[in-house]
Amino acid sequence: MAPIQSLRSPALNAKLPHGRDQKRRSSGIQAQGHDRRARGGGEACVKNLACKLDPPPSTGDLAQDCVDRINQFLTQCACLPALKRRKDGEACANEMAKYDADHNMAHAGIRAKICEPGGSQNSCPGYSSNKQVIGLCMQQMWDEGPPPTADCTGDCYEMYGHFINMTDDSVTQVACGFYTTSSGKVWAVQNFTR
């Protein structure tokens, strides 16, 4: 299994080598675990950024399962509002997952600009099943955070980027894409947009 990877769209930010952004990164959550934004969840939620959650039951719609899993972490662990499913971005996300698999490289599609995701991207390259992407990869991305400082760039973003992308205060939508290779490996991307 390849390591998960995150990337910020080159259309939104200046890039460091390998496509990493130089702009200030804000996860919406400070290192101490305090909300930085007013769009948090209800009173019933108790913030636990170290949460370990079993995925919600499958809906039978893989893209919806992906969105539901991301929203599970946001609403149950960070007490943040759910993201909307961006159905009009799913064709691009699917193309990117296939392109990444064809080139055996996470973020190959975004770097080649095969379509515009409109924001940041997380990638789950070469997992053994869709279920493993939803259950394991997404938990691994969540487990990266929160970053030690509110201003997280460069090496900090390399280490905490998935969590930052998932909790970015400017993000309101996500489009999930999947591709399964002939050998059965699953490549997936999650494109986060405003």
Side-chain angles (χ1 to χ4, degrees), residues 99-111:
Y99 193 93
D100 290 0
D102 290 347
H103 292 82
N104 198 33
M105 184 173 81
H107 306 296
I110 197 171
R111 288 188 179 119

PDB file of all heavy atoms in Angstrom, residues 99-111:
ATOM      1  N   TYR A  99      -5.902   8.622 -13.774  1.00  0.00           N
ATOM      2  CA  TYR A  99      -4.632   9.156 -14.273  1.00  0.00           C
ATOM      3  C   TYR A  99      -3.509   8.858 -13.277  1.00  0.00           C
ATOM      4  O   TYR A  99      -2.415   8.445 -13.659  1.00  0.00           O
ATOM      5  CB  TYR A  99      -4.769  10.659 -14.514  1.00  0.00           C
ATOM      6  CG  TYR A  99      -3.642  11.267 -15.308  1.00  0.00           C
ATOM      7  CD1 TYR A  99      -3.729  11.394 -16.687  1.00  0.00           C
ATOM      8  CD2 TYR A  99      -2.486  11.735 -14.672  1.00  0.00           C
ATOM      9  CE1 TYR A  99      -2.692  11.970 -17.418  1.00  0.00           C
ATOM     10  CE2 TYR A  99      -1.454  12.307 -15.388  1.00  0.00           C
ATOM     11  CZ  TYR A  99      -1.560  12.430 -16.764  1.00  0.00           C
ATOM     12  OH  TYR A  99      -0.525  12.991 -17.485  1.00  0.00           O
ATOM     13  N   ASP A 100      -3.786   9.075 -11.996  1.00  0.00           N
ATOM     14  CA  ASP A 100      -2.787   8.770 -10.959  1.00  0.00           C
ATOM     15  C   ASP A 100      -2.389   7.293 -11.001  1.00  0.00           C
ATOM     16  O   ASP A 100      -1.207   6.958 -10.942  1.00  0.00           O
ATOM     17  CB  ASP A 100      -3.324   9.107  -9.567  1.00  0.00           C
ATOM     18  CG  ASP A 100      -3.473  10.605  -9.306  1.00  0.00           C
ATOM     19  OD1 ASP A 100      -3.157  11.420 -10.196  1.00  0.00           O
ATOM     20  OD2 ASP A 100      -3.925  10.957  -8.196  1.00  0.00           O
ATOM     21  N   ALA A 101      -3.387   6.416 -11.112  1.00  0.00           N
ATOM     22  CA  ALA A 101      -3.115   4.974 -11.169  1.00  0.00           C
ATOM     23  C   ALA A 101      -2.320   4.630 -12.422  1.00  0.00           C
ATOM     24  O   ALA A 101      -1.343   3.870 -12.358  1.00  0.00           O
ATOM     25  CB  ALA A 101      -4.423   4.186 -11.134  1.00  0.00           C
ATOM     26  N   ASP A 102      -2.719   5.178 -13.561  1.00  0.00           N
ATOM     27  CA  ASP A 102      -2.023   4.903 -14.826  1.00  0.00           C
ATOM     28  C   ASP A 102      -0.564   5.343 -14.779  1.00  0.00           C
ATOM     29  O   ASP A 102       0.291   4.752 -15.441  1.00  0.00           O
ATOM     30  CB  ASP A 102      -2.723   5.599 -15.997  1.00  0.00           C
ATOM     31  CG  ASP A 102      -4.071   4.982 -16.339  1.00  0.00           C
ATOM     32  OD1 ASP A 102      -4.380   3.870 -15.851  1.00  0.00           O
ATOM     33  OD2 ASP A 102      -4.835   5.635 -17.101  1.00  0.00           O
ATOM     34  N   HIS A 103      -0.278   6.390 -14.022  1.00  0.00           N
ATOM     35  CA  HIS A 103       1.083   6.904 -13.903  1.00  0.00           C
ATOM     36  C   HIS A 103       1.772   6.459 -12.615  1.00  0.00           C
ATOM     37  O   HIS A 103       2.904   6.862 -12.352  1.00  0.00           O
ATOM     38  CB  HIS A 103       1.073   8.433 -14.024  1.00  0.00           C
ATOM     39  CG  HIS A 103       0.706   8.891 -15.393  1.00  0.00           C
ATOM     40  ND1 HIS A 103      -0.600   8.986 -15.830  1.00  0.00           N
ATOM     41  CD2 HIS A 103       1.481   9.221 -16.439  1.00  0.00           C
ATOM     42  CE1 HIS A 103      -0.615   9.373 -17.079  1.00  0.00           C
ATOM     43  NE2 HIS A 103       0.635   9.520 -17.481  1.00  0.00           N
ATOM     44  N   ASN A 104       1.058   5.644 -11.810  1.00  0.00           N
ATOM     45  CA  ASN A 104       1.585   5.114 -10.553  1.00  0.00           C
ATOM     46  C   ASN A 104       2.174   6.215  -9.671  1.00  0.00           C
ATOM     47  O   ASN A 104       3.235   6.058  -9.076  1.00  0.00           O
ATOM     48  CB  ASN A 104       2.625   4.018 -10.821  1.00  0.00           C
ATOM     49  CG  ASN A 104       2.859   3.157  -9.603  1.00  0.00           C
ATOM     50  OD1 ASN A 104       1.947   2.917  -8.814  1.00  0.00           O
ATOM     51  ND2 ASN A 104       4.084   2.688  -9.433  1.00  0.00           N
ATOM     52  N   MET A 105       1.428   7.343  -9.595  1.00  0.00           N
ATOM     53  CA  MET A 105       1.910   8.473  -8.818  1.00  0.00           C
ATOM     54  C   MET A 105       0.728   9.291  -8.310  1.00  0.00           C
ATOM     55  O   MET A 105      -0.095   9.759  -9.095  1.00  0.00           O
ATOM     56  CB  MET A 105       2.813   9.368  -9.669  1.00  0.00           C
ATOM     57  CG  MET A 105       3.430  10.509  -8.896  1.00  0.00           C
ATOM     58  SD  MET A 105       4.646  11.436  -9.855  1.00  0.00           S
ATOM     59  CE  MET A 105       3.563  12.491 -10.803  1.00  0.00           C
ATOM     60  N   ALA A 106       0.668   9.466  -6.997  1.00  0.00           N
ATOM     61  CA  ALA A 106      -0.364  10.320  -6.420  1.00  0.00           C
ATOM     62  C   ALA A 106      -0.215  11.739  -6.950  1.00  0.00           C
ATOM     63  O   ALA A 106       0.901  12.229  -7.128  1.00  0.00           O
ATOM     64  CB  ALA A 106      -0.255  10.313  -4.894  1.00  0.00           C
ATOM     65  N   HIS A 107      -1.314  12.364  -7.251  1.00  0.00           N
ATOM     66  CA  HIS A 107      -1.392  13.749  -7.722  1.00  0.00           C
ATOM     67  C   HIS A 107      -0.848  13.960  -9.131  1.00  0.00           C
ATOM     68  O   HIS A 107      -0.645  15.102  -9.539  1.00  0.00           O
ATOM     69  CB  HIS A 107      -0.721  14.720  -6.740  1.00  0.00           C
ATOM     70  CG  HIS A 107      -1.240  14.610  -5.360  1.00  0.00           C
ATOM     71  ND1 HIS A 107      -2.547  14.899  -5.024  1.00  0.00           N
ATOM     72  CD2 HIS A 107      -0.635  14.209  -4.216  1.00  0.00           C
ATOM     73  CE1 HIS A 107      -2.715  14.695  -3.742  1.00  0.00           C
ATOM     74  NE2 HIS A 107      -1.582  14.265  -3.223  1.00  0.00           N
ATOM     75  N   ALA A 108      -0.645  12.891  -9.878  1.00  0.00           N
ATOM     76  CA  ALA A 108      -0.194  13.044 -11.268  1.00  0.00           C
ATOM     77  C   ALA A 108      -1.230  13.825 -12.073  1.00  0.00           C
ATOM     78  O   ALA A 108      -0.874  14.665 -12.902  1.00  0.00           O
ATOM     79  CB  ALA A 108       0.062  11.676 -11.905  1.00  0.00           C
ATOM     80  N   GLY A 109      -2.500  13.558 -11.854  1.00  0.00           N
ATOM     81  CA  GLY A 109      -3.565  14.224 -12.598  1.00  0.00           C
ATOM     82  C   GLY A 109      -3.654  15.710 -12.322  1.00  0.00           C
ATOM     83  O   GLY A 109      -3.818  16.506 -13.246  1.00  0.00           O
ATOM     84  N   ILE A 110      -3.523  16.096 -11.071  1.00  0.00           N
ATOM     85  CA  ILE A 110      -3.591  17.522 -10.743  1.00  0.00           C
ATOM     86  C   ILE A 110      -2.360  18.248 -11.271  1.00  0.00           C
ATOM     87  O   ILE A 110      -2.448  19.375 -11.752  1.00  0.00           O
ATOM     88  CB  ILE A 110      -3.807  17.758  -9.229  1.00  0.00           C
ATOM     89  CG1 ILE A 110      -4.287  19.182  -8.963  1.00  0.00           C
ATOM     90  CG2 ILE A 110      -2.588  17.423  -8.423  1.00  0.00           C
ATOM     91  CD1 ILE A 110      -4.732  19.424  -7.536  1.00  0.00           C
ATOM     92  N   ARG A 111      -1.211  17.589 -11.207  1.00  0.00           N
ATOM     93  CA  ARG A 111       0.019  18.201 -11.711  1.00  0.00           C
ATOM     94  C   ARG A 111      -0.024  18.350 -13.231  1.00  0.00           C
ATOM     95  O   ARG A 111       0.494  19.323 -13.771  1.00  0.00           O
ATOM     96  CB  ARG A 111       1.227  17.381 -11.284  1.00  0.00           C
ATOM     97  CG  ARG A 111       1.509  17.515  -9.816  1.00  0.00           C
ATOM     98  CD  ARG A 111       2.818  16.853  -9.415  1.00  0.00           C
ATOM     99  NE  ARG A 111       3.034  17.028  -7.995  1.00  0.00           N
ATOM    100  CZ  ARG A 111       3.131  16.039  -7.127  1.00  0.00           C
ATOM    101  NH1 ARG A 111       3.035  14.788  -7.524  1.00  0.00           N
ATOM    102  NH2 ARG A 111       3.338  16.287  -5.857  1.00  0.00           N
TER     103      ARG A 111
END
